[in-house]
Amino acid sequence: MAQGSDRTGLQMQDADDPLALFRKWMEDARLSELNDPNAMSLATCTADGRPSVRIVLLKRYDENGFAFYTNGESRKGAELRANHHAALCLHWKSRQRQVRIEGSIAELPPADVDAYFKRRHRMSQIGAWASEQSRPLASREELIRRTEEIERRFPDEVPRPPYWTGFVVTPERIEFWEEREYRLHDRFVFERTASNTVWTKQRLYP
Ligand SMILES: Cc1cc2nc3c(=O)[nH]c(=O)nc-3n(C[C@H](O)[C@H](O)[C@H](O)COP(=O)(O)O)c2cc1C
């Protein structure tokens, strides 16, 4: 079990603002994770309640929510449009910590997505055009061929594909979990209703 002065559950116990605590844990994770401290599981559901999950990168978080970017025509894109609820889960092995976030989902405004797309590496921008994410692909060669074609099509600036988008999860429930000895872990859940900005906090059995 990892040792350290912050591994006493006290960060959670003293926190009133889950976003501030999340920021602290993310900063901790950036210092110790091998890679991608912002990798998170994103769970979505079909309209009739069948779940699916995959990893995406958390690109921004603030009082408006937790944002990521993707292909809006992907499987997750279709599910997010059919069912406006999503769940996120971050696990930082190096810190033995987990954060679970649940809430409603909304698409980010086009200006926001444009601004982020412009900052991406040219080849990632090309890749966004080349990949029909989640749909069948005959061969790797086909993907390379499409990539080369798009490089020729956009020799200078690469515009954002109309289907490439971003989503934000507005949290209604944020749970912090930290490993403690003998599986007597610490868990705190912060909850608020969509119409309420004040968080309530509750300790949970592990
Ligand atoms: C570390 C990591 C980060 C990823 N980040 C993203 C991301 O930010 N956006 C994205 O669309 N896919 C990302 N992916 C790929 C997704 O996990 C997934 O394969 C893809 O989005 C298709 O999912 P879907 O078919 O359920 O829509 C990432 C995968 C890994 C392993």
Side-chain angles (χ1 to χ4, degrees):
M1 166 150 190
Q3 297 299 316
S5 57
D6 60 347
R7 296 199 58 79
T8 56
L10 288 179
Q11 284 188 1
M12 272 187 271
Q13 198 158 310
D14 295 343
D16 290 321
D17 174 8
L19 197 65
L21 180 57
F22 182 85
R23 188 167 291 119
K24 170 78 179 96
W25 278 25
M26 180 61 88
E27 282 163 13
D28 288 347
R30 280 192 203 289
L31 297 175
S32 55
E33 284 294 296
L34 216 51
N35 54 31
D36 296 332
N38 58 334
M40 57 185 187
S41 301
L42 160 70
T44 57
C45 255
T46 57
D48 62 348
R50 287 171 184 246
S52 69
V53 66
R54 79 290 291 150
I55 305 280
V56 293
L57 295 178
L58 174 64
K59 286 296 178 177
R60 206 184 59 225
Y61 57 93
D62 54 29
E63 47 294 331
N64 299 315
F66 295 77
F68 58 91
Y69 296 88
T70 190
N71 185 320
E73 294 176 354
S74 63
R75 179 178 176 190
K76 76 181 90 50
E79 291 185 6
L80 287 170
R81 288 199 173 100
N83 183 327
H84 296 182
H85 299 279
L88 308 169
C89 185
L90 295 103
H91 175 214
W92 294 299
K93 281 182 195 284
S94 62
R95 298 275 168 179
Q96 291 160 308
R97 285 172 175 167
Q98 170 183 248
V99 177
R100 298 166 63 183
I101 298 160
E102 288 154 41
S104 57
I105 195 113
E107 205 161 335
L108 289 168
D112 177 313
V113 187
D114 281 335
Y116 177 71
F117 190 79
K118 275 196 170 65
R119 295 204 307 271
R120 298 187 90 204
H121 189 277
R122 176 176 161 80
M123 285 317 291
S124 300
Q125 295 174 334
I126 303 266
W129 279 97
S131 174
E132 295 185 353
Q133 194 177 59
S134 315
R135 280 145 289 175
L137 169 65
S139 66
R140 174 122 202 123
E141 289 66 40
E142 170 74 9
L143 181 61
I144 306 290
R145 192 191 56 70
R146 282 175 64 94
T147 306
E148 290 167 353
E149 202 175 281
I150 287 152
E151 279 190 85
R152 284 193 295 277
R153 184 163 144 207
F154 301 119
D156 303 315
E157 200 175 323
V158 184
R160 172 171 68 89
Y163 50 79
W164 200 85
T165 189
F167 291 95
V168 60
V169 177
T170 304
E172 287 156 24
R173 188 182 198 282
I174 307 182
E175 185 198 307
F176 295 84
W177 180 103
E178 187 171 62
E179 184 165 323
R180 302 291 299 277
E181 267 184 320
Y182 311 118
R183 309 228 177 272
L184 300 176
H185 314 306
D186 277 316
R187 287 179 77 182
F188 277 93
V189 61
F190 293 77
E191 285 181 293
R192 68 174 184 191
T193 55
S195 58
N196 197 341
T197 51
V198 181
W199 291 98
T200 59
K201 185 172 71 171
Q202 176 68 59
R203 185 189 271 275
L204 301 178
Y205 277 103

